[in-house]
Amino acid sequence: MASLVQAVRLALHYGETNLGVTDIFGEDVGPPLGGVFTATQGLKKAWNTPLDERGIVGAAMGIAYAGGKPVFEIQFCDYGFNIIDLLKLAGNQRWASGGSYDMPVVMMTPSGSGIRGSLYHSHSFESWATRLTGWKIVMPSDALDAYGLMLSAIADPNPVMVLLPKALLRVKGERRIPGEPEDDEQLSRMIDAPVGDRSQWEPQWPDLEEYFVPIGQARLVREGQAGTVISYGRTLPLCSQAADELYESEGLTFDVIDLRSIFPYDWLAIKESVLKTGRVLIVNEDTEITNFGEHLLRRIVEELFYDLLAKPRLLQGKHIPGIGLNQVYEQNTVPQLAGVRAAMLELATERV
C-alpha cells in the first residue's frame, strides 16, 4: 500500500495531468529534493521558491487571479504564522467579490508532532486555520483519504488548506488507491527518487483513477454503543486502536469518527452518533485554550445537552510553546495511546 506522503504525490500527479493544476511550488518543492517529506518528487509542474512564505502565498493568489490553478506548500505549518494576513485575504476574495472571483488555491503543509520539532516544527495549525473564514480545512489520517481529499481540494473553487499529519506521512495505508500497483515495492521503484544523483531519474507513474473524498464528510471507522470518539490526523489511529483494545479487554464498543474535514465539518455525523451513545470524547493534539475541539464541545452542549448521559470531554495537547527536542518530551506533550484508552474507558463507565 502507498504511504500517506506517496498518496499526496500521486494525487498531485493526477492533478497536474487531469485536473488542470498549473503550478506546484514552495521551498525545496522542485528538483532535486522534491519536498522535505518527498511529497513533490518527480512532478512536472513543481518548482522552487526563495525562503519567503509571504511571497509564496502572494504568487499563488496572483496565479489564481490569472486563471491558473496553483498548489503551494508551506514547508512546516509553524511558518503559517508569518502569512496569516495573506491567508485571511485569500479567504475573503470570493465573498468580497460577490462570487465574481474564484480563488482556487491549495495550500498543503505538515502539521503537528512526530519529529520532536521544538519551537518551529511541531505546532498544530487547525485551530488557527478554522478562524480563516473562506478557507476549507482538511486533514487526512490515511493514504486513501489523503489522495481523495487532495483531489477534492484541487477541484474546489475556494482556497483549501490540506494539513498533513507529520507522524503519519510515512505510514502505509490499509486501503488501496485506485490504480495503485498491487506490489508495494513496485510502487516505490516507480515513483520514489533514488538516493544520490537524481539528474537522470524519471518517475514511472501508475495509471491512476479519479477518487474524490467530499469535503465536509466524516468517516465512521469503528461502530459501537459505549461512546462517541471524534478525532482526525495523528490521533485518529490511536482512537481506533484504543477502541479495539477496549473491546478485547472490557467488551466495550465505540463509534470512532474520523472528521477528515475540519471546516466545514460533518455535524450530522456527530449529532447522529452522540444521540445514539449519549457520551462523547474529542481527541486531538493541538494545545489547550481555544482548541478547535472546544468549539465542538460548545455546540454539543448547546444542541444536545439533554441527550447526554455523561459530561462531554476533550483530550488535547499541553499548552506549551513547542514540543522539546526529546522523545520523552514529545510523548508527554501530546496524547498517546494509553491516555486515549484511559479517557475512553472513563467516558464509557461514568455513572450519573
Side-chain angles (χ1 to χ4, degrees):
M1 298 289 184
S3 67
L4 197 151
V5 74
Q6 285 175 322
V8 171
R9 199 186 321 154
L10 291 170
L12 292 172
H13 168 68
Y14 190 90
E16 68 179 4
T17 306
N18 298 283
L19 300 179
V21 170
T22 55
D23 300 83
I24 302 166
F25 58 99
E27 298 160 4
D28 294 321
V29 162
L33 189 60
V36 293
F37 293 99
T38 74
T40 51
Q41 281 184 347
L43 298 170
K44 290 182 180 178
K45 304 292 178 61
W47 48 275
N48 292 314
T49 69
L51 301 181
D52 177 11
E53 287 80 15
R54 293 178 60 80
I56 293 170
V57 181
M61 294 177 66
I63 291 169
Y65 280 134
K69 185 173 281 192
V71 177
F72 67 95
E73 181 182 78
I74 297 300
Q75 199 168 67
F76 290 90
C77 76
D78 313 59
Y79 303 121
F81 298 108
N82 303 349
I83 55 174
I84 207 83
D85 56 338
L86 285 174
L87 295 181
K88 178 184 175 185
L89 191 63
N92 69 31
Q93 289 303 286
R94 294 195 80 206
W95 184 84
S97 67
S100 298
Y101 299 107
D102 290 346
M103 185 51 62
V105 301
V106 177
M107 168 178 155
M108 62 179 191
T109 184
S111 180
S113 67
I115 60 170
R116 304 178 293 282
S118 193
L119 293 174
Y120 296 105
H121 299 85
S122 67
H123 289 103
S124 294
F125 201 66
E126 69 267 26
S127 298
W128 297 88
T130 53
R131 298 185 187 104
L132 296 165
T133 50
W135 281 81
K136 297 181 180 180
I137 317 296
V138 303
M139 192 171 195
S141 64
D142 75 355
L144 182 60
D145 281 348
Y147 183 81
L149 287 170
M150 182 61 80
L151 293 195
S152 293
I154 290 169
D156 202 295
N158 295 283
V160 181
M161 192 179 301
V162 182
L163 300 176
L164 299 171
K166 283 190 213 80
L168 302 181
L169 284 174
R170 294 187 173 87
V171 175
K172 291 184 179 295
E174 297 179 349
R175 300 177 294 160
R176 197 169 299 280
I177 293 168
E180 178 186 347
E182 295 289 328
D183 181 350
D184 296 355
E185 296 302 319
Q186 182 185 356
L187 178 65
S188 180
R189 289 193 297 271
M190 293 172 71
I191 70 168
D192 290 343
V195 177
D197 182 14
R198 302 172 176 179
S199 58
Q200 303 302 314
W201 173 74
E202 292 284 343
Q204 302 298 315
W205 299 105
D207 188 15
L208 296 165
E209 300 172 21
E210 196 168 85
Y211 178 79
F212 292 98
V213 172
I215 295 176
Q217 186 174 102
R219 186 166 78 98
L220 184 64
V221 297
R222 296 289 187 278
E223 189 167 359
Q225 301 291 330
T228 298
V229 183
I230 303 165
S231 189
Y232 48 83
R234 184 190 72 87
T235 52
L236 188 282
L238 300 179
C239 297
S240 300
Q241 184 176 346
D244 293 342
E245 292 180 1
L246 287 170
Y247 175 70
E248 290 294 329
S249 64
E250 310 291 336
L252 297 170
T253 60
F254 293 83
D255 272 0
V256 178
I257 297 174
D258 185 353
L259 212 52
R260 303 195 293 192
S261 291
I262 299 170
F263 190 85
Y265 58 86
D266 193 342
W267 173 246
L268 291 179
I270 295 171
K271 180 179 179 180
E272 180 179 348
S273 178
V274 173
L275 287 176
K276 180 180 73 173
T277 67
R279 301 166 189 266
V280 61
L281 167 69
I282 300 158
V283 183
N284 66 39
E285 62 176 349
D286 203 352
T287 53
E288 191 182 1
I289 313 299
T290 62
N291 181 301
F292 171 69
E294 293 178 339
H295 162 72
L296 296 180
L297 277 185
R298 190 270 299 164
R299 188 168 182 185
I300 289 167
V301 169
E302 284 190 358
E303 299 191 26
L304 305 175
F305 181 79
Y306 294 108
D307 299 293
L308 294 173
L309 301 175
K311 64 181 181 183
R313 294 160 164 83
L314 171 62
L315 181 64
Q316 71 282 297
K318 301 277 194 311
H319 195 64
I320 59 174
I323 290 170
L325 293 168
N326 179 298
Q327 186 171 357
V328 175
Y329 292 163
E330 181 167 282
Q331 290 178 343
N332 284 281
T333 300
V334 293
Q336 304 295 327
L337 176 61
V340 173
R341 186 173 56 233
M344 290 170 63
L345 181 60
E346 183 180 87
L347 172 76
T349 56
E350 179 183 333
R351 295 291 175 258
V352 293

